[in-house]
Amino acid sequence: MKRLRLLAVSVLAVTALAASAAAGDFVDLRRIEPVSGDAAAGAQKAATLCFACHGADGISPVPMFPNLAGQRADYLYQELLRYKSGSRPESAMTALVQPLEDADLRNLAVHYGGLAPDLPAPAEAPAQEVLARGGTLFREGDPARGVPPCQGCHGADAKGHPLADAGADSPYRAYPLLYGQHPAYVATRLRDYRSGALAHTSNDFIMTAVAQRLDDASIDALAAWLANLPAQRQAR
Ligand code: HEC
Ligand code: HEC
């Protein structure tokens, strides 16, 4: 009888532990509601709060400020939540989003997600071999080092996961597009994933595993190739 009670108590304890691990350790982004909001209200807020750093049209004038135009709204909303909760490293964004309401974050995400990613070509074209290495890594990965092809998750054209909108329960909704993103920003992000600094969501875990396989030369080549996608399109 005593043994039975002991067993019951330990089963309860184990169940409680499992429940707290599942609920507390990370944000599970595999099943998220598609974000909706008021794009016009978002545009109004953006015109006063965001345009100085992210540009009037969501194309940022400074390399360390990411372009937002045409980025997936679901991804943008999740990132804004993260600046608010402090789970992305401290930056200009952290203080900025503190006074904003949840509805503001949704409206801003929908606004920027709806803008055309009409990106200018970078001022300096990188060396051909750097571009070639970046393109190969993106399309094919580097199986010898365990690097998966980026295109599997970010799309052959780097415009997002091909199944992001495949049904309301798509687990790929918050996978970002990388097309034409500023190279300095992309390289910094990849190094942050690699160092383990981003370990808050299920999507962080995925990208951390990828980035830990990348050396510095690969990171720089990938960032250069992604930034030059718009230029390559225009040249064709
Ligand atoms: C003072 C400059 C500044 C202002 C103003 C600013 N941002 Fe940012 N934003 C940044 C910087 C710098 C980063 C990159 C920070 C990092 O590495 O996490 C960033 C990153 C972001 C990201 C993450 C994008 C990604 O690809 O992960 C989003 C979303 C964003 N900003 C939205 C906004 C919105 C919406 C506003 C207005 C409410 C705004 N920002 C105002 C500087 C700014
Ligand atoms: C198995 C799926 C998967 C693969 C493969 C993958 N990624 Fe990602 N990537 C993600 C997810 C999910 C996120 C969003 C993580 C988050 O929320 O911070 C992401 C985010 C990123 C970001 C941040 C974008 C931003 O705007 O801040 C960059 C940069 C990136 N990935 C580059 C790459 C590169 C380069 C490769 C190939 C070497 C790659 N990814 C391969 C799933 C993947």
Side-chain angles (χ1 to χ4, degrees):
M1 181 65 197
K2 203 169 167 201
R3 266 184 69 194
L4 207 71
R5 206 178 304 140
L6 210 70
L7 190 75
V9 168
S10 60
V11 166
L12 267 179
V14 169
T15 317
L17 207 72
S20 78
D25 281 351
F26 65 95
V27 178
D28 191 338
L29 295 181
R30 283 172 296 180
R31 297 287 177 268
I32 51 172
E33 291 276 318
V35 72
S36 57
D38 178 344
Q44 223 168 12
K45 271 254 156 19
T48 52
L49 286 179
C50 323
F51 85 100
C53 294
H54 293 288
D57 45 7
I59 311 289
S60 305
V62 178
M64 279 312 294
F65 303 167
N67 297 319
L68 306 178
Q71 181 55 278
R72 291 196 56 83
D74 298 293
Y75 171 77
L76 292 173
Y77 173 60
Q78 291 301 327
E79 297 310 300
L80 290 170
L81 287 179
R82 302 188 57 171
Y83 288 119
K84 195 150 176 164
S85 73
S87 74
R88 258 181 89 149
E90 173 93 27
S91 74
M93 290 302 299
T94 313
L96 227 140
V97 296
Q98 294 315 317
L100 299 179
E101 313 263 339
D102 188 60
D104 296 327
L105 304 186
R106 290 173 186 274
N107 297 345
L108 285 161
V110 169
H111 160 63
Y112 280 114
L115 297 179
D118 193 9
L119 301 164
E124 279 176 57
Q128 270 313 314
E129 63 265 26
V130 173
L131 282 183
R133 166 119 181 101
T136 304
L137 276 168
F138 189 87
R139 283 186 301 269
E140 301 168 19
D142 186 348
R145 296 195 208 178
V147 180
C150 319
Q151 65 157 328
C153 291
H154 292 288
D157 54 4
K159 289 188 172 170
H161 196 290
L163 299 177
D165 293 312
D169 64 348
S170 168
Y172 311 113
R173 205 162 276 296
Y175 281 35
L177 59 82
L178 306 174
Y179 180 82
Q181 189 54 277
H182 284 301
Y185 170 77
V186 166
T188 303
R189 273 292 259 172
L190 288 172
R191 290 188 172 95
D192 281 349
Y193 288 116
R194 187 172 65 179
S195 74
L198 302 160
H200 183 70
T201 71
S202 48
N203 285 351
D204 283 348
F205 296 159
I206 291 177
M207 218 22 237
T208 300
V210 174
Q212 284 178 346
R213 305 283 177 166
L214 297 172
D215 57 19
D216 283 329
S218 302
I219 286 180
D220 293 338
L222 279 159
W225 184 78
L226 287 165
N228 274 274
L229 278 177
Q232 292 170 44
R233 290 282 151 91
Q234 281 151 24
R236 251 178 237 158

